[in-house]
Amino acid sequence: MLAAMPPPATLPAQPGDAVSRARGDACPGALRLHRADDGALARVRVPGGVLSAGQADGLRELAGRLGDGEVHLTSRGNVQLRGLGEECGGELASRTSEMGLLPSERHERVRNVVASPLSGLDGRGEREVRPWLSALDALVCASEEAAGLSGRFLFALDDGRGDVDALGADVTLRARGDGDADLRIGALESVARVPADEAPRAALLAAEVFLEAAAGSGAWRVTDLPGGAGPLSDAVVRRLLAAGLPVAREVVPVAEGAPPALGVVTGPGDTDALSVGLPLGRAGAAQWRTLTDLARRYGSGELRLTPWRGVVVPGVERGRAAELLDVLDAAGLVTGPRSPWTGVGACIGRPGCAKSLADVRGDAAATVGAGAAVGTLPVHWSGCERRCGRPRGAWVDVVAGPDGYRVSVVRDGRRDAPPCVTDDPSVLATAVATARATGT
């Protein structure tokens, strides 16, 4: 049984928190590989998470031939390939370029765009954001200034439902019901209302103003700026007005947001979408092939990767949706809220990361196998205090230490200081279940 908790403590900084950067941006890409303990790592940007079935097949083939054989999803809907040999860089660059995943070598690490995964699929939202996505990506790749953004700077395109508005992007566009768009800088509630057809241009201008404000400061993201987001937002409005865009200031609270529900997503027409999660954000070759084959044969030929390490398959015939969801379930994917894997995430842990104190993915799997309870709060397993990949909002925090794990609930960036829990799977399962129950 968990003991009484001491007073809450503030979480330590992690990559992306508001601190000054004394060294260059080492964020990996498809051209700049990162050396990890399990081999080199490549991060392939997938703006909006949109992949054709052919591109998805190509990534699976590269993972199998050059890496560890698995496709890893990130919290920005991008793809990571791990366990790569150091000599594979040239072939990786050539193949990703052939697949259309590398439209600009100078901009490949800055094409960080998340978008509402269900936009246009379920009849919700105020606007289909795919035109925004195509336009913004083209503008970023054509901008000499934008090439100077860090690999951590993030754009978000929200169709009005509030899902990706909640992710804390540096620049967010959120569709409005009146045909305009809200431009948000960081997590400010004060937004600039701009015409929807000018929204991608406004987002790029905001990023370019950020670069001017960040010059010499070492800031990679809006939260790193010494003056914070407020002065930057004012400067962005001045730039938009100077560019001839009509702008109005309003107060619009940041949405709480939620990932797409798992299962069959009913569409407004005669097709549905299938929404599934990947256990711990990774798929083996057979699982990934099942997804791509299903998308090609029974869907629109497209996959949408979500910022919650899931996949949406659009365009499935309504009469076959339930049957095809069962196929994905049989492949080991997470297809509903009652799965013990729902909401469970982890950093890479050992052996991939030298800083990790434990094989957190293996321990998370053992805990799920020992009967960890399903709950509404997400659970994130971390191999060290950096908590890489941790979610936003409230979650169950499971952190490895020298003598076991600490399990607690995090809210608003603060957590109770928990006691140490043994790494026995059944004991950990009880501790996680207790935290999920008390934190809801």
Side-chain angles (χ1 to χ4, degrees), residues 332-366:
L333 301 173
V334 185
T335 59
R338 303 311 301 170
S339 167
W341 282 110
T342 300
V344 179
C347 70
I348 195 64
R350 288 180 178 171
C353 177
K355 292 183 172 63
S356 179
L357 300 177
D359 174 12
V360 292
R361 295 190 171 212
D363 290 340

mmCIF file of all heavy atoms in Angstrom, residues 332-366:
data_model
loop_
_atom_site.group_PDB
_atom_site.id
_atom_site.type_symbol
_atom_site.label_atom_id
_atom_site.label_comp_id
_atom_site.label_asym_id
_atom_site.label_seq_id
_atom_site.Cartn_x
_atom_site.Cartn_y
_atom_site.Cartn_z
ATOM 1 N N GLY A 332 -2.744 -7.190 -32.440
ATOM 2 C CA GLY A 332 -2.115 -6.681 -31.224
ATOM 3 C C GLY A 332 -2.166 -5.182 -31.071
ATOM 4 O O GLY A 332 -1.481 -4.625 -30.198
ATOM 5 N N LEU A 333 -2.985 -4.499 -31.878
ATOM 6 C CA LEU A 333 -3.127 -3.056 -31.750
ATOM 7 C C LEU A 333 -4.218 -2.735 -30.726
ATOM 8 O O LEU A 333 -5.050 -3.580 -30.393
ATOM 9 C CB LEU A 333 -3.455 -2.443 -33.105
ATOM 10 C CG LEU A 333 -2.392 -2.708 -34.184
ATOM 11 C CD1 LEU A 333 -2.855 -2.214 -35.538
ATOM 12 C CD2 LEU A 333 -1.072 -2.041 -33.808
ATOM 13 N N VAL A 334 -4.208 -1.523 -30.224
ATOM 14 C CA VAL A 334 -5.144 -1.109 -29.178
ATOM 15 C C VAL A 334 -6.384 -0.552 -29.858
ATOM 16 O O VAL A 334 -6.315 0.483 -30.524
ATOM 17 C CB VAL A 334 -4.518 -0.051 -28.256
ATOM 18 C CG1 VAL A 334 -5.450 0.273 -27.102
ATOM 19 C CG2 VAL A 334 -3.164 -0.521 -27.731
ATOM 20 N N THR A 335 -7.521 -1.223 -29.699
ATOM 21 C CA THR A 335 -8.703 -0.888 -30.490
ATOM 22 C C THR A 335 -9.873 -0.357 -29.665
ATOM 23 O O THR A 335 -10.922 -0.051 -30.232
ATOM 24 C CB THR A 335 -9.185 -2.115 -31.275
ATOM 25 O OG1 THR A 335 -9.486 -3.171 -30.346
ATOM 26 C CG2 THR A 335 -8.129 -2.586 -32.256
ATOM 27 N N GLY A 336 -9.702 -0.227 -28.358
ATOM 28 C CA GLY A 336 -10.813 0.268 -27.547
ATOM 29 C C GLY A 336 -10.357 0.712 -26.182
ATOM 30 O O GLY A 336 -9.239 0.396 -25.740
ATOM 31 N N PRO A 337 -11.208 1.434 -25.473
ATOM 32 C CA PRO A 337 -10.809 2.007 -24.182
ATOM 33 C C PRO A 337 -10.629 0.983 -23.082
ATOM 34 O O PRO A 337 -10.032 1.304 -22.044
ATOM 35 C CB PRO A 337 -11.976 2.960 -23.859
ATOM 36 C CG PRO A 337 -13.150 2.406 -24.606
ATOM 37 C CD PRO A 337 -12.577 1.835 -25.870
ATOM 38 N N ARG A 338 -11.110 -0.235 -23.260
ATOM 39 C CA ARG A 338 -10.958 -1.242 -22.209
ATOM 40 C C ARG A 338 -9.669 -2.027 -22.317
ATOM 41 O O ARG A 338 -9.396 -2.890 -21.470
ATOM 42 C CB ARG A 338 -12.151 -2.216 -22.237
ATOM 43 C CG ARG A 338 -13.519 -1.560 -22.088
ATOM 44 C CD ARG A 338 -13.554 -0.588 -20.916
ATOM 45 N NE ARG A 338 -13.246 -1.243 -19.654
ATOM 46 C CZ ARG A 338 -13.024 -0.596 -18.519
ATOM 47 N NH1 ARG A 338 -13.049 0.729 -18.490
ATOM 48 N NH2 ARG A 338 -12.744 -1.251 -17.405
ATOM 49 N N SER A 339 -8.869 -1.765 -23.298
ATOM 50 C CA SER A 339 -7.575 -2.436 -23.388
ATOM 51 C C SER A 339 -6.661 -1.950 -22.271
ATOM 52 O O SER A 339 -6.599 -0.749 -21.983
ATOM 53 C CB SER A 339 -6.916 -2.138 -24.740
ATOM 54 O OG SER A 339 -5.545 -2.536 -24.722
ATOM 55 N N PRO A 340 -5.914 -2.850 -21.624
ATOM 56 C CA PRO A 340 -4.975 -2.420 -20.576
ATOM 57 C C PRO A 340 -3.845 -1.556 -21.114
ATOM 58 O O PRO A 340 -3.150 -0.896 -20.334
ATOM 59 C CB PRO A 340 -4.449 -3.736 -20.004
ATOM 60 C CG PRO A 340 -4.666 -4.748 -21.076
ATOM 61 C CD PRO A 340 -5.919 -4.318 -21.787
ATOM 62 N N TRP A 341 -3.654 -1.532 -22.446
ATOM 63 C CA TRP A 341 -2.618 -0.693 -23.047
ATOM 64 C C TRP A 341 -3.098 0.737 -23.303
ATOM 65 O O TRP A 341 -2.282 1.605 -23.617
ATOM 66 C CB TRP A 341 -2.151 -1.293 -24.373
ATOM 67 C CG TRP A 341 -1.207 -2.439 -24.227
ATOM 68 C CD1 TRP A 341 -1.453 -3.749 -24.501
ATOM 69 C CD2 TRP A 341 0.144 -2.386 -23.767
ATOM 70 N NE1 TRP A 341 -0.340 -4.515 -24.249
ATOM 71 C CE2 TRP A 341 0.655 -3.703 -23.800
ATOM 72 C CE3 TRP A 341 0.972 -1.354 -23.331
ATOM 73 C CZ2 TRP A 341 1.949 -4.011 -23.416
ATOM 74 C CZ3 TRP A 341 2.273 -1.661 -22.942
ATOM 75 C CH2 TRP A 341 2.749 -2.964 -22.989
ATOM 76 N N THR A 342 -4.387 0.991 -23.173
ATOM 77 C CA THR A 342 -4.897 2.321 -23.471
ATOM 78 C C THR A 342 -4.286 3.356 -22.537
ATOM 79 O O THR A 342 -4.350 3.230 -21.314
ATOM 80 C CB THR A 342 -6.429 2.352 -23.335
ATOM 81 O OG1 THR A 342 -6.996 1.413 -24.240
ATOM 82 C CG2 THR A 342 -6.967 3.735 -23.654
ATOM 83 N N GLY A 343 -3.676 4.377 -23.138
ATOM 84 C CA GLY A 343 -3.098 5.460 -22.347
ATOM 85 C C GLY A 343 -1.750 5.171 -21.748
ATOM 86 O O GLY A 343 -1.225 5.994 -20.992
ATOM 87 N N VAL A 344 -1.138 4.035 -22.050
ATOM 88 C CA VAL A 344 0.154 3.676 -21.464
ATOM 89 C C VAL A 344 1.267 4.065 -22.429
ATOM 90 O O VAL A 344 1.283 3.634 -23.587
ATOM 91 C CB VAL A 344 0.232 2.168 -21.153
ATOM 92 C CG1 VAL A 344 1.598 1.813 -20.563
ATOM 93 C CG2 VAL A 344 -0.875 1.768 -20.193
ATOM 94 N N GLY A 345 2.201 4.884 -21.967
ATOM 95 C CA GLY A 345 3.336 5.309 -22.779
ATOM 96 C C GLY A 345 4.629 5.173 -22.004
ATOM 97 O O GLY A 345 4.627 4.959 -20.784
ATOM 98 N N ALA A 346 5.737 5.294 -22.703
ATOM 99 C CA ALA A 346 7.041 5.151 -22.053
ATOM 100 C C ALA A 346 8.114 5.793 -22.910
ATOM 101 O O ALA A 346 7.976 5.898 -24.130
ATOM 102 C CB ALA A 346 7.386 3.667 -21.832
ATOM 103 N N CYS A 347 9.184 6.215 -22.259
ATOM 104 C CA CYS A 347 10.381 6.604 -22.998
ATOM 105 C C CYS A 347 11.044 5.333 -23.525
ATOM 106 O O CYS A 347 10.565 4.216 -23.275
ATOM 107 C CB CYS A 347 11.325 7.404 -22.102
ATOM 108 S SG CYS A 347 12.125 6.429 -20.804
ATOM 109 N N ILE A 348 12.160 5.459 -24.213
ATOM 110 C CA ILE A 348 12.782 4.280 -24.806
ATOM 111 C C ILE A 348 13.426 3.394 -23.747
ATOM 112 O O ILE A 348 13.462 2.171 -23.874
ATOM 113 C CB ILE A 348 13.807 4.670 -25.898
ATOM 114 C CG1 ILE A 348 14.176 3.457 -26.745
ATOM 115 C CG2 ILE A 348 15.024 5.319 -25.287
ATOM 116 C CD1 ILE A 348 13.030 2.875 -27.531
ATOM 117 N N GLY A 349 13.937 3.992 -22.656
ATOM 118 C CA GLY A 349 14.529 3.201 -21.585
ATOM 119 C C GLY A 349 15.767 2.430 -22.015
ATOM 120 O O GLY A 349 16.348 2.671 -23.077
ATOM 121 N N ARG A 350 16.176 1.489 -21.175
ATOM 122 C CA ARG A 350 17.278 0.599 -21.547
ATOM 123 C C ARG A 350 16.779 -0.411 -22.566
ATOM 124 O O ARG A 350 15.609 -0.793 -22.527
ATOM 125 C CB ARG A 350 17.786 -0.153 -20.306
ATOM 126 C CG ARG A 350 18.575 0.688 -19.320
ATOM 127 C CD ARG A 350 19.021 -0.169 -18.156
ATOM 128 N NE ARG A 350 19.821 0.590 -17.203
ATOM 129 C CZ ARG A 350 20.189 0.125 -16.019
ATOM 130 N NH1 ARG A 350 19.830 -1.098 -15.655
ATOM 131 N NH2 ARG A 350 20.920 0.861 -15.207
ATOM 132 N N PRO A 351 17.629 -0.889 -23.466
ATOM 133 C CA PRO A 351 19.046 -0.547 -23.645
ATOM 134 C C PRO A 351 19.276 0.645 -24.578
ATOM 135 O O PRO A 351 20.416 0.965 -24.881
ATOM 136 C CB PRO A 351 19.606 -1.826 -24.255
ATOM 137 C CG PRO A 351 18.472 -2.334 -25.113
ATOM 138 C CD PRO A 351 17.214 -1.990 -24.357
ATOM 139 N N GLY A 352 18.208 1.294 -25.033
ATOM 140 C CA GLY A 352 18.379 2.349 -26.024
ATOM 141 C C GLY A 352 18.978 3.624 -25.482
ATOM 142 O O GLY A 352 19.608 4.374 -26.224
ATOM 143 N N CYS A 353 18.767 3.930 -24.196
ATOM 144 C CA CYS A 353 19.216 5.197 -23.628
ATOM 145 C C CYS A 353 20.169 4.948 -22.469
ATOM 146 O O CYS A 353 19.830 4.246 -21.506
ATOM 147 C CB CYS A 353 18.018 6.014 -23.152
ATOM 148 S SG CYS A 353 18.459 7.573 -22.358
ATOM 149 N N ALA A 354 21.349 5.557 -22.542
ATOM 150 C CA ALA A 354 22.356 5.369 -21.505
ATOM 151 C C ALA A 354 21.949 6.005 -20.186
ATOM 152 O O ALA A 354 22.433 5.614 -19.117
ATOM 153 C CB ALA A 354 23.695 5.950 -21.973
ATOM 154 N N LYS A 355 21.069 6.998 -20.220
ATOM 155 C CA LYS A 355 20.671 7.681 -18.988
ATOM 156 C C LYS A 355 19.577 6.935 -18.229
ATOM 157 O O LYS A 355 19.315 7.232 -17.064
ATOM 158 C CB LYS A 355 20.202 9.110 -19.313
ATOM 159 C CG LYS A 355 21.298 10.035 -19.796
ATOM 160 C CD LYS A 355 20.755 11.447 -20.017
ATOM 161 C CE LYS A 355 21.888 12.428 -20.323
ATOM 162 N NZ LYS A 355 22.579 12.102 -21.569
ATOM 163 N N SER A 356 18.927 5.998 -18.891
ATOM 164 C CA SER A 356 17.826 5.286 -18.249
ATOM 165 C C SER A 356 18.337 4.340 -17.165
ATOM 166 O O SER A 356 19.369 3.678 -17.325
ATOM 167 C CB SER A 356 17.040 4.491 -19.290
ATOM 168 O OG SER A 356 15.982 3.789 -18.667
ATOM 169 N N LEU A 357 17.588 4.261 -16.083
ATOM 170 C CA LEU A 357 17.936 3.377 -14.977
ATOM 171 C C LEU A 357 17.217 2.036 -15.048
ATOM 172 O O LEU A 357 17.412 1.193 -14.163
ATOM 173 C CB LEU A 357 17.604 4.058 -13.645
ATOM 174 C CG LEU A 357 18.324 5.385 -13.382
ATOM 175 C CD1 LEU A 357 17.853 6.001 -12.069
ATOM 176 C CD2 LEU A 357 19.835 5.173 -13.358
ATOM 177 N N ALA A 358 16.373 1.837 -16.047
ATOM 178 C CA ALA A 358 15.610 0.590 -16.119
ATOM 179 C C ALA A 358 15.125 0.340 -17.538
ATOM 180 O O ALA A 358 15.066 1.249 -18.374
ATOM 181 C CB ALA A 358 14.407 0.652 -15.170
ATOM 182 N N ASP A 359 14.754 -0.888 -17.798
ATOM 183 C CA ASP A 359 14.079 -1.262 -19.040
ATOM 184 C C ASP A 359 12.594 -0.946 -18.854
ATOM 185 O O ASP A 359 11.778 -1.826 -18.546
ATOM 186 C CB ASP A 359 14.298 -2.743 -19.334
ATOM 187 C CG ASP A 359 13.510 -3.246 -20.540
ATOM 188 O OD1 ASP A 359 12.966 -2.396 -21.291
ATOM 189 O OD2 ASP A 359 13.412 -4.478 -20.717
ATOM 190 N N VAL A 360 12.234 0.323 -19.013
ATOM 191 C CA VAL A 360 10.886 0.749 -18.655
ATOM 192 C C VAL A 360 9.828 0.130 -19.566
ATOM 193 O O VAL A 360 8.713 -0.153 -19.121
ATOM 194 C CB VAL A 360 10.765 2.289 -18.649
ATOM 195 C CG1 VAL A 360 11.574 2.886 -17.521
ATOM 196 C CG2 VAL A 360 11.188 2.890 -19.978
ATOM 197 N N ARG A 361 10.150 -0.093 -20.818
ATOM 198 C CA ARG A 361 9.169 -0.699 -21.713
ATOM 199 C C ARG A 361 8.906 -2.154 -21.330
ATOM 200 O O ARG A 361 7.765 -2.614 -21.348
ATOM 201 C CB ARG A 361 9.624 -0.581 -23.160
ATOM 202 C CG ARG A 361 9.689 0.877 -23.616
ATOM 203 C CD ARG A 361 9.898 1.024 -25.104
ATOM 204 N NE ARG A 361 9.726 2.425 -25.484
ATOM 205 C CZ ARG A 361 9.251 2.828 -26.639
ATOM 206 N NH1 ARG A 361 8.885 1.946 -27.549
ATOM 207 N NH2 ARG A 361 9.121 4.115 -26.906
ATOM 208 N N GLY A 362 9.956 -2.853 -20.994
ATOM 209 C CA GLY A 362 9.769 -4.224 -20.540
ATOM 210 C C GLY A 362 8.989 -4.289 -19.237
ATOM 211 O O GLY A 362 8.105 -5.138 -19.065
ATOM 212 N N ASP A 363 9.300 -3.378 -18.305
ATOM 213 C CA ASP A 363 8.584 -3.360 -17.029
ATOM 214 C C ASP A 363 7.128 -2.937 -17.223
ATOM 215 O O ASP A 363 6.230 -3.450 -16.545
ATOM 216 C CB ASP A 363 9.287 -2.416 -16.045
ATOM 217 C CG ASP A 363 10.626 -2.962 -15.577
ATOM 218 O OD1 ASP A 363 10.832 -4.184 -15.704
ATOM 219 O OD2 ASP A 363 11.464 -2.181 -15.099
ATOM 220 N N ALA A 364 6.887 -1.981 -18.140
ATOM 221 C CA ALA A 364 5.503 -1.578 -18.416
ATOM 222 C C ALA A 364 4.716 -2.754 -18.990
ATOM 223 O O ALA A 364 3.559 -2.998 -18.600
ATOM 224 C CB ALA A 364 5.479 -0.399 -19.381
ATOM 225 N N ALA A 365 5.323 -3.509 -19.904
ATOM 226 C CA ALA A 365 4.647 -4.665 -20.494
ATOM 227 C C ALA A 365 4.354 -5.731 -19.439
ATOM 228 O O ALA A 365 3.284 -6.341 -19.423
ATOM 229 C CB ALA A 365 5.490 -5.244 -21.623
ATOM 230 N N ALA A 366 5.326 -5.946 -18.534
ATOM 231 C CA ALA A 366 5.118 -6.930 -17.475
ATOM 232 C C ALA A 366 3.999 -6.499 -16.541
ATOM 233 O O ALA A 366 3.194 -7.323 -16.076
ATOM 234 C CB ALA A 366 6.409 -7.131 -16.689
#
